Amino acid sequence: EKEGNKVNNRADQAKSRKALAAVGTAAAHDKDENKVKKEEEEDNNENKEEEEEEEDTDAVAETLLEQAALLKKKRENLTANERAKQQQDDEEARILREASQVQTNALQAASELAKGVVYKKSLPTSWRCPKHVLKEGEQNWEITRKKWHILVEGKDCPPPLKSFRDMKFP
């Protein structure tokens, strides 16, 4: 029975946290930044003593279950604005993780990804950069890269070209 009550209690807590986060997000958008900052400072001052007590209990927690229970208590003590900020930070972190994964796998076929193929050498090519682009020089290339938000890594990176026509493929 106790486990059933705990599960129901956890579900209720999760629902209430989601509702409070939604309310907190809407409230944060409606208020001025100054008001939000003042409220956060007041909340931080009020919760300072509680945090110090919780830090003392963190040192005592030995098992993962105890640590999880302490984290849940901390989440319950957060204000609506703090919950909204934490939720936004978590979402941003998730998006960054997905974006970094896409960037590393963007130029590989699905079959290569599935097999775990890793290329260590560049593929040989007979293409050479057109002379008029080479004459522009490194400074102009850097200006173009900054303007078009082109990020490059590694050695001997080719200069940025604005179109495929500029590549002058045979």
Side-chain angles (χ1 to χ4, degrees):
E1 288 181 13
K2 289 181 180 179
E3 291 180 10
N5 290 338
K6 287 181 182 178
V7 171
N8 289 335
N9 191 17
R10 289 180 189 158
D12 292 338
Q13 289 175 351
K15 288 178 185 177
S16 64
R17 281 195 299 268
K18 287 180 183 178
L20 286 173
V23 170
T25 304
H29 291 295
D30 294 337
K31 294 181 179 179
D32 292 349
E33 289 182 26
N34 293 335
K35 289 181 182 178
V36 172
K37 288 180 183 178
K38 287 179 184 177
E39 289 177 4
E40 288 177 357
E41 290 174 0
E42 290 172 5
D43 291 338
N44 287 339
N45 292 337
E46 292 173 1
N47 290 330
K48 226 176 199 181
E49 295 176 355
E50 293 175 5
E51 289 175 6
E52 291 174 359
E53 292 174 7
E54 289 175 1
E55 288 175 4
D56 293 340
T57 57
D58 285 347
V60 177
E62 295 178 4
T63 67
L64 290 176
L65 291 173
E66 290 172 344
Q67 291 175 0
L70 289 173
L71 287 174
K72 286 181 183 180
K73 285 181 183 178
K74 285 181 181 180
R75 281 190 220 132
E76 290 171 0
N77 291 334
L78 293 177
T79 65
N81 291 334
E82 290 172 336
R83 284 188 189 131
K85 183 171 179 5
Q86 184 177 13
Q87 187 178 15
Q88 183 180 3
D89 290 345
D90 293 344
E91 182 67 14
E92 288 174 358
R94 183 190 63 79
I95 291 170
L96 286 173
R97 279 194 308 272
E98 288 178 7
S100 66
Q101 184 179 7
V102 168
Q103 289 174 354
T104 58
N105 299 336
L107 299 176
Q108 287 184 306
S111 59
E112 292 174 344
L113 290 172
K115 292 177 184 176
V117 175
V118 177
Y119 294 102
K120 297 185 182 196
K121 290 171 57 176
S122 296
L123 296 174
T125 179
S126 61
W127 179 82
R128 299 289 176 246
C129 186
K131 291 180 182 178
H132 74 278
V133 175
L134 292 174
K135 289 179 183 177
E136 291 177 0
E138 287 282 337
Q139 290 178 342
N140 286 340
W141 298 347
E142 287 302 317
I143 292 170
T144 304
R145 286 184 179 121
K146 286 181 183 177
K147 179 180 177 183
W148 292 91
H149 305 285
I150 299 173
L151 303 175
V152 294
E153 292 180 359
K155 298 177 183 176
D156 297 328
C157 296
L161 300 171
K162 296 177 186 173
S163 69
F164 285 105
R165 186 176 293 137
D166 291 342
M167 295 181 80
K168 295 191 176 181
F169 282 128

